[in-house]
Amino acid sequence: MKKRYILLLCLSTLFIWRQAKGNEPYKTDANIFGHVLDKNTKEHLPYVTVQLKGTTLGTTTDATGHYFLKNLPTGNFTLEVKMIGYKTITKEVKIIANTTQEIDFEMEEESIPLNAVVVSANRNETNRMLAPSLVSVLDVKMLEATNSKNLAQALNFQPGLRVEDNCQNCGFSQVRINGLEGAYSQILIDSRPIYGALTGVYGLEQIPSNMIDRIEVIRGGGSALFGSSAIGGVINVITKEPSRNSGDIVHMFSSINGKAAENNTMFNASILTENRKAGIMLYGQNRDRQGYDHDGDSFTEMPMLKNRSFGFRSFLKTGLYSKLSIEYHNMHEFRRGGDSLKLQPFQSKITEQLEHYINGGGINYVQNSADMKNKFNLYASAQHTLRKSYYGGGDPVEVIPGSNQNQEVIDNLNNRLGSFGRSTELIHHLGGQYTRSMDHLLFMPAELTAGAEYLNNTLTDVSGYRTHDVDQKTHTASGFLQNEWKDDRWSILLGGRLDKHSLVKSAIFSPRANIRYNPNGKVNFRLSYSEGFRAPQYFDEDLHVDIAGGEHIVRVLSKDLQEERSRSVSGSIDFYHTTDNLQLNALAEGFFTHLKNKITAIDDPEVEGQKLVVNAKGENAKVYGINLEGRMAYGRLLDLQLGVTFQKSLFDQAQEPIEGVGGYREFMRTPDTYGYFVTTWKPATRFSATLSGNYTGQMYVPHVKGEGDPAKDRFASKNKIERVNSFFELHTKLSYDIPVLEYSTLQLNAGVQNIFNAYQKDFDTGAGRASDYIYGPSAPRSVFAGIKLTL
């Protein structure tokens, strides 16, 4: 099945390039040319995007800062000029046949992007300042400054977000939004929900940073926009699109506390046809990390990791107002933790070994009307994941070729071989959307959006210790409708979504309401109400932890299982101030989420070794707090960004987080305070220095009793809840650009992550350790050096 999808995507891409060659430009001989300058320095700016707004026609300035648009359609248009780090400029222009015009631009620096475009606020491209709901954006500059190699590392630098590792053996991670567990965070690729239950456990590390154009984050319930699992919020990964002929290659070497090494190589290549009717962005990554043992007990705290990814995003401009895009990604990852990493898994005391094969992609077609009042969008996406796994522990099996093994050895070997497993997940997603812009509806200009989607998920899991294999098939049919009344001062949005999930009897309705008020262009007041839901599913992080802990269990969904629901309210103040050289941005966001019908797994009293997935009574919860974020930019010299979250996450009734230990209303592994900062100093054009950090406050962490000899290994003597200390990580990166050839740059960079080695000091040790007793920073002190060639 997956081979068919790969073949379809490749054939579609070939079709795009063939069509692009045959597309003839308009024969009007109406042309526009000019140059783009920096307003302060008067230097020409290369690679600035120049676009006829609302159409597919555009170009970029060349290396000398000049541009040329030829054979343009006649009529009245808006010419838009934009570039990262500068204010977007628009000019009205009347295009006349057989006429050539010169239009020049001078751009002002803007380190804090006021006019950044986002799509996650209302499913349409919207100026971030005018968006009805608050959207936080992580761009390429932040990814590079923080030396983030993948999505998991990047998400640590956003308010309200915290990425944590949950296993010493396999190193799986999850992202918490406003304190809620990873299962409540919806991960999207180009606005499509193709990351399911299987990829949700390890997927954050499998998305390389060089495929990312930007990351959009919405905190709070988002099911009215994107469906199931958007209870805590939505993380939308927007992939890179080709804009000019260019390329770069990066290699990074890291030494992890002097005990393990990591090599990471990435490349990007952007290619466009001469008439700019088609383009393709290629990317790839190869990551190789040795297993890391922090405390010298011969068992890893960070698993061995081999990751390879490759993908592309391509487009064809099928007309003046239409565009077809294709995205494809292929990932292969092997990770293994425990002991004796060079031997077969059954020859170790404990091994967790995962091998993933992921193929995914999507097709998106957009058609606008000539008056820009109507927009049609059709899309389809899919992802297939194959996981080969081994979760096993016990006495190592010594297999001697050619010898007769006694029965005890054979029984032990058969038991260990039963720990191999094979899981697959196939997700299909189809949808369509229509948007109508109206100059006046009742009392204001308005934008109406309506659409329908279908999501199919097939999950199978085969393990040697199970009597019956897992075979779960779900499908969801959805419809959504919203209307936004808006102008520069006001935005009022009302909308909702109806989802019919195959495992839930009744259709699920998720409403939303948003109000934005901008009295003077410098401050935004927002008030939002939204609901989220999480549909029942077999596989999630909880099941993974049970298996990783050595429990041979079977999970069964209760017949009366209902969806988990949330109601979220948030209010924010977003303030901007700009002088000649200084830009300031301050944000305060208060939030409250009520969670009910919590889905959890309990021991089945009728079947030993079986857990029932039910809606547990008494596990309703409240999450509330405030996110604060500030940013200051002083010209090119200094850029400072910081954020902090103060919150409470409490169950309505006291819980028993682990067997025999109860009386806690607090969420486990959730600090009341956490935050980050990133500051970049650029005293010269070619040199920059970045200092960044992460703070994690005190929190409660479950500590399960270990198994083994207490005189030899360190572990908890009984089940207990630990109140762990706070952590502060400090990182630095230095980079220097060297011009080479005519238009190429060679960058040398180096730095230290977690400078003061703020790393957990009380890991359990030995084969009987509780591998999920892990908290704090994901890695100890690491020294890195890299090289980047940009063409």
Side-chain angles (χ1 to χ4, degrees):
M1 181 68 73
K2 66 180 180 180
K3 293 181 180 179
R4 296 178 184 176
Y5 287 109
I6 298 172
L7 179 61
L8 175 63
L9 286 170
C10 292
L11 290 176
S12 300
T13 305
L14 290 174
F15 170 77
I16 282 180
W17 284 87
R18 183 170 180 177
Q19 287 294 106
K21 291 182 179 180
N23 281 350
E24 291 295 330
Y26 299 93
K27 298 296 185 180
T28 62
D29 199 26
N31 310 312
I32 297 177
F33 74 95
H35 63 236
V36 181
L37 302 178
D38 183 297
K39 187 174 181 178
N40 294 324
T41 66
K42 304 303 180 182
E43 295 178 353
H44 285 85
L45 296 175
Y47 315 127
V48 178
T49 299
V50 183
Q51 183 88 22
L52 273 189
K53 194 174 181 180
T55 75
T56 59
L57 298 179
T59 187
T60 59
T61 58
D62 59 21
T64 68
H66 294 80
Y67 75 94
F68 182 55
L69 294 167
K70 63 181 181 179
N71 284 314
L72 300 173
T74 59
N76 295 316
F77 292 90
T78 299
L79 197 61
E80 183 180 67
V81 178
K82 57 185 178 180
M83 181 182 184
I84 295 177
Y86 287 85
K87 293 181 181 179
T88 299
I89 303 175
T90 58
K91 285 185 180 181
E92 302 300 319
V93 57
K94 184 176 182 179
I95 301 177
I96 304 171
N98 302 311
T99 301
T100 298
Q101 305 177 58
E102 179 179 1
I103 302 179
D104 298 324
F105 295 90
E106 291 188 354
M107 303 187 73
E108 293 184 72
E109 283 188 293
E110 182 184 59
S111 298
I112 301 175
L114 302 181
N115 297 311
V117 173
V118 296
V119 297
S120 302
N122 57 8
R123 299 182 66 103
N124 297 298
E125 289 190 351
T126 306
N127 184 308
R128 180 181 177 272
M129 280 193 68
L130 302 179
S133 55
L134 185 64
V135 181
S136 297
V137 179
L138 260 167
D139 58 19
V140 173
K141 289 175 63 178
M142 178 68 80
L143 298 180
E144 292 183 352
T146 57
N147 199 44
S148 299
K149 297 184 283 291
N150 52 59
L151 179 63
Q153 295 175 346
L155 293 178
N156 281 305
F157 298 96
Q158 278 290 289
L161 270 63
R162 193 176 68 84
V163 179
E164 63 182 27
D165 285 349
N166 294 107
C167 180
Q168 290 171 270
N169 291 329
C170 66
F172 96 86
S173 58
Q174 62 172 311
V175 57
R176 293 176 179 261
I177 301 180
N178 288 346
L180 292 170
E181 296 175 2
Y184 300 116
S185 305
Q186 190 181 50
I187 309 296
L188 307 174
I189 302 293
D190 292 323
S191 303
R192 310 298 173 231
I194 58 174
Y195 261 64
L198 197 61
T199 45
V201 179
Y202 300 98
L204 296 179
E205 277 196 282
Q206 294 168 350
I207 300 178
S209 60
N210 64 317
M211 74 178 276
I212 300 173
D213 177 69
R214 66 184 186 275
I215 304 166
E216 299 179 4
V217 178
I218 294 183
R219 297 177 288 270
S223 292
L225 281 176
F226 298 109
S228 178
S229 299
I231 283 183
V234 175
I235 297 170
N236 193 0
V237 179
I238 308 299
T239 59
K240 289 181 178 178
E241 185 174 276
S243 59
R244 63 183 181 89
N245 292 323
S246 61
D248 59 65
I249 184 168
V250 180
H251 181 77
M252 184 78 64
F253 171 80
S254 302
S255 174
I256 305 172
N257 211 23
K259 295 183 178 181
E262 177 177 337
N263 283 280
N264 187 55
T265 304
M266 299 184 289
F267 79 88
N268 288 81
S270 177
I271 307 170
L272 281 78
T273 58
E274 185 177 355
N275 60 12
R276 302 184 66 87
K277 294 292 183 180
I280 187 169
M281 168 68 77
L282 302 166
Y283 64 86
Q285 181 192 47
N286 187 73
R287 184 183 180 195
D288 190 340
R289 184 182 72 194
Q290 296 175 335
Y292 172 73
D293 173 18
H294 183 70
D295 46 25
D297 67 343
S298 301
F299 294 84
T300 61
E301 272 65 57
M302 297 171 61
M304 174 181 69
L305 183 66
K306 296 181 183 293
N307 181 290
R308 175 202 45 79
S309 60
F310 171 80
F312 66 81
R313 183 171 176 179
S314 183
F315 71 81
L316 168 66
K317 297 176 181 178
T318 56
L320 179 59
Y321 301 102
S322 60
K323 182 178 178 181
L324 178 69
S325 301
I326 293 180
E327 185 270 332
Y328 168 74
H329 55 267
N330 172 276
M331 302 173 186
H332 173 251
E333 182 190 79
F334 177 87
R335 63 172 62 209
R336 176 173 170 177
D339 68 305
S340 305
L341 300 184
K342 295 182 179 181
L343 301 179
Q344 291 296 320
F346 50 81
Q347 294 179 294
S348 67
K349 293 181 179 179
I350 187 169
T351 285
E352 292 182 38
Q353 177 176 296
L354 294 307
E355 189 166 15
H356 290 87
Y357 301 86
I358 300 173
N359 283 281
I363 299 176
N364 185 64
Y365 177 75
V366 177
Q367 175 71 59
N368 288 306
S369 60
D371 61 1
M372 303 306 297
K373 300 293 186 182
N374 301 281
K375 180 180 179 181
F376 298 89
N377 186 198
L378 297 175
Y379 46 88
S381 56
Q383 180 162 286
H384 180 272
T385 302
L386 167 63
R387 172 190 294 170
K388 298 178 181 179
S389 62
Y390 181 94
Y391 296 103
D395 295 330
V397 177
E398 184 179 1
V399 180
I400 304 175
S403 66
N404 295 323
Q405 307 291 326
N406 61 42
Q407 189 61 44
E408 182 179 354
V409 172
I410 295 174
D411 291 343
N412 187 19
L413 177 60
N414 290 334
N415 180 61
R416 295 296 295 272
L417 292 178
S419 296
F420 282 99
R422 180 186 176 93
S423 308
T424 62
E425 184 177 44
L426 178 61
I427 297 176
H428 303 86
H429 181 250
L430 307 171
Q433 178 177 312
Y434 168 70
T435 302
R436 168 68 177 174
S437 297
M438 294 165 280
D439 295 330
H440 190 80
L441 178 63
L442 298 180
F443 52 88
M444 286 178 69
E447 187 175 76
L448 177 69
T449 301
E453 295 182 330
Y454 175 79
L455 180 68
N456 182 278
N457 187 311
T458 300
L459 175 65
T460 62
D461 185 75
V462 180
S463 295
Y465 59 80
R466 285 202 182 100
T467 305
H468 301 287
D469 300 334
V470 174
D471 189 0
Q472 179 178 288
K473 298 180 180 179
T474 64
H475 57 268
T476 307
S478 311
F480 54 89
L481 177 68
Q482 67 178 28
N483 191 75
E484 182 184 1
W485 291 269
K486 62 179 180 179
D487 58 22
D488 289 345
R489 177 168 290 190
W490 285 97
S491 171
I492 303 171
L493 186 147
L494 297 174
R497 180 183 176 112
L498 198 64
D499 292 272
K500 180 59 183 75
H501 192 278
S502 58
L503 294 182
V504 180
K505 293 181 181 180
S506 302
I508 304 167
F509 179 64
S510 304
R512 68 178 297 210
N514 303 83
I515 298 176
R516 172 189 57 82
Y517 176 54
N518 187 338
N520 53 20
K522 295 183 178 180
V523 62
N524 269 323
F525 298 92
R526 289 183 175 94
L527 182 65
S528 300
Y529 172 82
S530 58
E531 294 189 12
F533 77 93
R534 179 189 175 205
Q537 62 186 26
Y538 174 83
F539 197 100
D540 61 17
E541 288 92 341
D542 292 336
L543 177 60
H544 165 267
V545 171
D546 290 336
I547 295 174
E551 295 187 52
H552 289 185
I553 59 174
V554 175
R555 298 183 89 176
V556 176
L557 302 180
S558 173
K559 293 181 179 180
D560 59 352
L561 189 64
Q562 299 177 352
E563 76 279 4
E564 197 167 349
R565 298 302 301 263
S566 73
R567 293 185 174 93
S568 299
V569 178
S570 67
S572 64
I573 302 174
D574 199 5
F575 171 76
Y576 296 86
H577 179 70
T578 302
T579 62
D580 291 339
N581 292 316
L582 184 66
Q583 284 185 277
L584 297 173
N585 176 216
L587 167 69
E589 177 195 26
F591 59 89
F592 176 89
T593 297
H594 181 247
L595 192 65
K596 68 175 186 176
N597 291 341
K598 183 172 172 60
I599 297 174
T600 191
I602 62 173
D603 291 329
D604 189 340
E606 298 181 0
V607 182
E608 185 178 353
Q610 178 170 291
K611 285 184 179 288
L612 278 177
V613 180
V614 299
N615 297 112
K617 295 181 179 179
E619 289 200 13
N620 296 342
K622 299 180 182 68
V623 178
Y624 56 92
I626 184 171
N627 290 310
L628 301 175
E629 186 176 25
R631 187 167 179 180
M632 181 195 74
Y634 185 77
R636 296 181 181 180
L637 181 65
L638 185 66
D639 191 322
L640 170 64
Q641 183 172 337
L642 54 86
V644 62
T645 298
F646 303 97
Q647 71 164 72
K648 281 288 186 181
S649 303
L650 301 171
F651 288 104
D652 290 353
Q653 299 179 19
Q655 304 293 307
E656 187 178 276
I658 52 178
E659 185 178 354
V661 183
Y664 289 87
R665 289 185 60 203
E666 295 84 357
F667 279 25
M668 297 293 102
R669 309 180 69 89
T670 303
D672 292 341
T673 306
Y674 50 98
Y676 75 96
F677 82 92
V678 180
T679 180
T680 299
W681 178 52
K682 195 169 185 178
T685 302
R686 299 178 186 176
F687 174 78
S688 67
T690 298
L691 191 68
S692 59
N694 299 99
Y695 173 79
T696 303
Q698 292 183 335
M699 58 184 167
Y700 292 103
V701 179
H703 194 176
V704 178
K705 175 184 177 181
E707 298 177 0
D709 182 0
K712 183 178 180 181
D713 301 316
R714 181 175 66 242
F715 49 77
S717 59
K718 61 180 181 179
N719 290 349
K720 58 182 176 179
I721 304 297
E722 307 278 6
R723 177 72 169 174
V724 301
N725 293 326
S726 60
F727 282 83
F728 177 71
E729 305 167 74
L730 188 66
H731 324 287
T732 186
K733 178 182 179 180
L734 307 176
S735 63
Y736 186 78
D737 295 334
I738 304 172
V740 295
L741 302 177
E742 188 173 1
Y743 300 118
S744 301
T745 302
L746 181 68
Q747 182 188 94
L748 303 178
N749 58 73
V752 183
Q753 292 180 302
N754 198 353
I755 294 174
F756 299 116
N757 207 19
Y759 199 55
Q760 184 175 339
K761 303 281 193 305
D762 62 341
F763 286 113
D764 281 4
T765 61
R769 66 184 182 176
S771 61
D772 60 345
Y773 181 60
I774 181 172
Y775 57 89
S778 60
R781 181 191 296 119
S782 300
V783 179
F784 66 88
I787 185 171
K788 177 181 180 181
L789 178 63
T790 302
L791 304 174

